[in-house]
């Protein structure tokens, strides 16, 4: 890379991490944040004095297809968004993991936001319709153990790390931006920072994971960290129509 060359930027997105943190901030039932222009957002975050002549050359979107019984609209809307991303930015790569049902067991919690463990009323008072087992909690009090059905996305963190490191090691990018607050990415981010400047974008309002923090001058240097706010999502939306792809209702 010479002084006159553009700085080739690779953007790597942990899609579900971004989606759920955006939903937490913007509101599940609030429209206007899902049809996200990731390329526009990424480039607007860059300080040109810090990363001069930045040019987006790779956008890697790591997700899983929401293919589950009884919810065809989610998958249809997701396909529409992925197609719009590709249409808008031909450098987009969509890497899919798995989205699969998984049973989980745990203590029954209050739904008032306190995440308080619900005490057992006693074996004889547990409603017959509630499949719960009385167990001793961590503080010795009796609580209720229940099983729930949930869906879990698998593979996005590994796919993101793989694309990031391959692009860095094969010199496809001069700098990288990672949209995630998943602490499992500590090692690949450290390795990337030793070779190229890396921006770490926390998509939520909470504290950036300690494992994703670092020294701006480590390795290649010129690393930086940002945290997204609701305004970042609402002001960086794709056009309502991208080619033949239209923003889904409610988005």
């Amino acid at each position: 890379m010479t002084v006159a060359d553009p700085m080739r930027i690779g953007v790597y997105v942990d899609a579900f991490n971004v989606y759920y943190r955006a939903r937490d901030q913007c509101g599940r039932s609030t429209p206007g944040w899902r049809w996200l222009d990731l390329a526009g957002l990424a480039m607007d975050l860059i300080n040109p004095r810090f990363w001069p002549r930045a040019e987006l050359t790779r956008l890697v979107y790591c997700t899983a297809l929401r293919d589950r019984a009884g919810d065809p609209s989610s998958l249809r809307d997701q396909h529409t968004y992925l197609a719009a991303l590709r249409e808008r930015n031909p450098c987009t790569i969509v890497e899919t993991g798995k989205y699969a049902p998984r049973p989980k067991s745990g203590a029954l919690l209050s739904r008032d936001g306190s995440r308080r463990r619900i005490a057992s009323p006693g074996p004889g008072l547990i409603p017959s319709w509630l499949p719960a087992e009385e167990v001793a909690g961590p503080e010795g009090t009796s609580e209720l153990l229940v099983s729930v059905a949930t869906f879990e996305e698998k593979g996005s963190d590994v796919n993101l790390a793989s694309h990031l490191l391959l692009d860095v090691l094969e010199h496809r990018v001069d700098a990288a931006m990672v949209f995630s607050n998943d602490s499992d990415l500590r090692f690949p981010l450290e390795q990337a920072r030793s070779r190229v400047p890396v921006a770490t974008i926390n998509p939520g309002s909470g504290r950036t994971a300690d494992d994703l923090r670092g020294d701006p001058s480590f390795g290649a240097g010129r690393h930086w960290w940002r945290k997204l706010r609701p305004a970042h999502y609402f002001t960086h939306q794709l056009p309502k129509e991208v080619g033949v792809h239209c923003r889904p209702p409610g988005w």
Side-chain angles (χ1 to χ4, degrees), residues 184-208:
D184 289 345
L185 295 173
R186 177 192 61 80
F187 181 75
L189 279 173
E190 285 179 354
Q191 296 305 305
R193 288 185 190 124
S194 70
R195 294 165 172 84
V196 299
V198 176
T200 307
I201 312 301
N202 177 357
S205 60
R207 176 184 172 86
T208 298

Side-chain angles (χ1 to χ4, degrees), residues 6-222:
M7 188 177 193
R8 300 170 300 164
I9 307 298
V11 174
Y12 306 86
V13 181
D14 183 346
F16 277 83
N17 196 275
V18 170
Y19 174 81
Y20 286 113
R21 299 295 77 76
R23 192 180 74 176
D24 290 344
Q25 294 199 73
C26 300
R28 183 170 191 159
S29 60
T30 304
W33 57 269
R34 292 174 175 84
W35 196 238
L36 186 60
D37 180 4
L38 284 161
L41 172 58
M43 299 309 289
D44 279 355
L45 291 173
I46 296 174
N47 184 334
R49 291 183 297 178
F50 207 52
W51 286 7
R53 299 172 304 284
E55 180 181 286
L56 179 66
T57 57
R58 294 179 77 79
L59 173 57
V60 181
Y61 189 79
C62 298
T63 189
L65 298 179
R66 293 174 61 89
D67 186 9
R68 58 183 188 179
D71 188 18
S73 64
S74 290
L75 182 60
R76 182 172 60 250
D77 292 349
Q78 186 181 28
H79 276 303
T80 299
Y81 179 59
L82 297 179
L85 281 182
R86 292 189 183 103
E87 178 78 17
R88 184 74 166 176
N89 302 284
C91 64
T92 300
I93 297 170
V94 176
E95 194 68 57
T96 55
K98 294 183 178 180
Y99 190 69
R102 178 184 175 187
K104 287 187 175 182
S105 297
L108 187 64
L109 301 180
S110 168
R111 296 190 63 184
D112 60 7
S114 67
R115 302 185 66 82
R116 173 177 52 86
R117 292 171 180 255
I118 301 298
S120 171
L125 297 177
I126 299 175
S128 59
W129 53 265
L130 180 64
E133 175 186 358
E134 183 179 282
V135 296
E139 298 180 359
T141 56
S142 295
E143 58 186 33
L144 297 174
L145 181 69
V146 297
S147 294
V148 298
T150 186
F151 280 79
E152 188 171 272
E153 174 273 329
K154 301 290 289 183
S156 288
D157 53 352
V158 175
N159 291 337
L160 187 155
S162 300
H163 275 281
L164 170 65
L165 292 179
L166 284 171
D167 286 351
V168 169
L169 294 173
E170 295 183 4
H171 306 290
R172 297 186 187 125
V173 299
D174 303 311
M177 298 179 68
V178 175
F179 282 72
S180 181
N181 197 32
D182 186 344
S183 60
D184 289 345
L185 295 173
R186 177 192 61 80
F187 181 75
L189 279 173
E190 285 179 354
Q191 296 305 305
R193 288 185 190 124
S194 70
R195 294 165 172 84
V196 299
V198 176
T200 307
I201 312 301
N202 177 357
S205 60
R207 176 184 172 86
T208 298
D210 288 341
D211 283 341
L212 301 187
R213 293 170 176 267
D215 186 336
S217 61
F218 170 77
R222 291 192 291 165

